[in-house]
Amino acid sequence: ALRGKTCSFDKSVLATCSGVARAWRISGEEEEEEEEGKNTSGPQLEEIVTFKSDKETKRILWEPIEEKRKDAVCIAFHEDGFQMWSLEYGSDPILTKRTSKSNDKIPKMSAASWDPIHLKQICTSNGTSVYGWDLRSAEQTHHIQSAHRMGVRDIDYNVNKPWALVTGGDDGEVKFWDLRNSTKALKVLNAHRHWVTCAKYVVFHTFVFRRSYQKNITRTIPFENHSKKMSTLEYKLDCDVKNRTPTLEHTQVQSES
């Protein structure tokens, strides 16, 4: 499947990966035709560079910074490790660091997240476990063994709270962790009958996150450690096949912690 992510400080630059990772420039996005009935081609993509690798790229992340710079840093992940690239517009990307798993017993990587507070830290999900890595030394810093009973589908750092991590797994559970003491999850939600394909924090709130799973359902949940009841806003995305327009339905759901 094709994955895409825009640069954190330059939304006109898009990185995609489908085996091979590439960076693109998005042009014409703000140009709109004012005359009615005139056909528009929409935004155009111009390829900037290709990130060359002898391994199939599974995911790519931009460094989570907001201040604009002349160069951008990104990480291309493959099943057995990752490559860090420095990209300066108009020139070929420079490979600044390459790492592979030092332990062959570590399963293949399925998801990754870049710590937005400690920029030299990343986490990857490998099988049922979660691993933390130091980008300076490429050494392992954290290990949550058997974070889920089945595979870990997604992980995400909390941009507002240091060391806070959320994971979603094939066991239908969403778990919250403090990486300083990750022997046990802070909270476990068992609100899904199917696997959790996406678990993300909402950047504008400390304890709100979104999760999605099979059947195109996304739930936005305010999470508090001391809360025993949660008010959940559930969104279901459907598509009008005839008009090809998406519709969004939402319902209020109460669930016990």
Side-chain angles (χ1 to χ4, degrees):
L2 179 66
R3 297 175 182 269
K5 194 172 184 65
T6 56
C7 178
S8 54
F9 62 83
D10 188 350
K11 300 304 180 184
S12 68
V13 176
L14 171 71
T16 61
C17 64
S18 181
V20 177
R22 293 183 172 91
W24 308 80
R25 172 75 67 182
I26 305 174
S27 61
E29 193 171 24
E30 298 180 354
E31 298 177 2
E32 298 181 357
E33 298 291 344
E34 296 181 355
E35 299 180 11
E36 294 184 1
K38 190 171 183 179
N39 294 328
T40 58
S41 58
Q44 301 295 314
L45 290 179
E46 177 187 358
E47 184 176 345
I48 302 175
V49 291
T50 297
F51 299 96
K52 298 178 181 179
S53 174
D54 56 353
K55 295 182 180 292
E56 182 180 358
T57 302
K58 297 293 185 180
R59 188 178 297 251
I60 192 164
L61 295 178
W62 294 99
E63 186 178 15
I65 58 173
E66 295 183 356
E67 64 272 14
K68 192 164 185 177
R69 303 187 315 197
K70 66 176 183 179
D71 64 326
V73 177
C74 62
I75 297 179
F77 294 87
H78 51 81
E79 291 180 340
D80 299 318
F82 61 85
Q83 296 173 317
M84 178 177 278
W85 297 86
S86 177
L87 173 63
E88 186 172 349
Y89 305 144
S91 61
D92 291 334
I94 301 174
L95 181 62
T96 58
K97 190 176 292 293
R98 183 199 304 266
T99 183
S100 296
K101 295 181 304 186
S102 58
N103 189 344
D104 292 336
K105 294 182 180 180
I106 298 179
K108 295 178 180 179
M109 189 276 297
S110 56
S113 184
W114 199 325
D115 191 335
I117 298 176
H118 309 98
L119 294 176
K120 300 303 180 182
Q121 301 284 333
I122 63 171
C123 268
T124 62
S125 62
N126 302 71
T128 61
S129 299
V130 173
Y131 294 85
W133 306 92
D134 189 316
L135 293 176
R136 294 161 293 190
S137 62
E139 296 292 331
Q140 181 180 314
T141 57
H142 301 95
H143 180 205
I144 306 177
Q145 187 173 8
S146 300
H148 287 261
R149 290 175 287 116
M150 302 172 69
V152 181
R153 285 264 184 158
D154 199 21
I155 54 178
D156 191 40
Y157 281 100
N158 191 333
V159 68
N160 299 304
K161 187 175 177 64
W163 310 111
L165 193 76
V166 63
T167 60
D170 283 340
D171 52 9
E173 295 180 342
V174 174
K175 295 186 178 183
F176 297 88
W177 307 88
D178 185 337
L179 292 177
R180 294 168 296 183
N181 183 13
S182 57
T183 55
K184 184 179 180 181
L186 295 175
K187 192 178 187 68
V188 180
L189 302 180
N190 298 282
H192 292 303
R193 296 186 299 272
H194 301 281
W195 48 87
V196 179
T197 58
C198 180
K200 299 296 181 186
Y201 281 102
V202 177
V203 298
F204 304 109
H205 301 279
T206 303
F207 293 112
V208 178
F209 78 102
R210 290 177 178 173
R211 56 191 178 165
S212 61
Y213 61 105
Q214 196 184 38
K215 299 182 180 179
N216 298 327
I217 295 178
T218 298
R219 288 175 178 171
T220 302
I221 299 178
F223 163 65
E224 296 285 354
N225 287 340
H226 60 272
S227 177
K228 293 186 177 181
K229 288 188 177 182
M230 294 175 296
S231 178
T232 303
L233 196 60
E234 181 177 291
Y235 294 87
K236 185 173 182 179
L237 183 64
D238 293 317
C239 186
D240 186 330
V241 178
K242 183 178 179 180
N243 299 320
R244 294 186 178 181
T245 56
T247 60
L248 196 63
E249 301 176 359
H250 68 274
T251 55
Q252 198 80 12
V253 179
Q254 296 289 338
S255 60
E256 298 288 339
S257 61

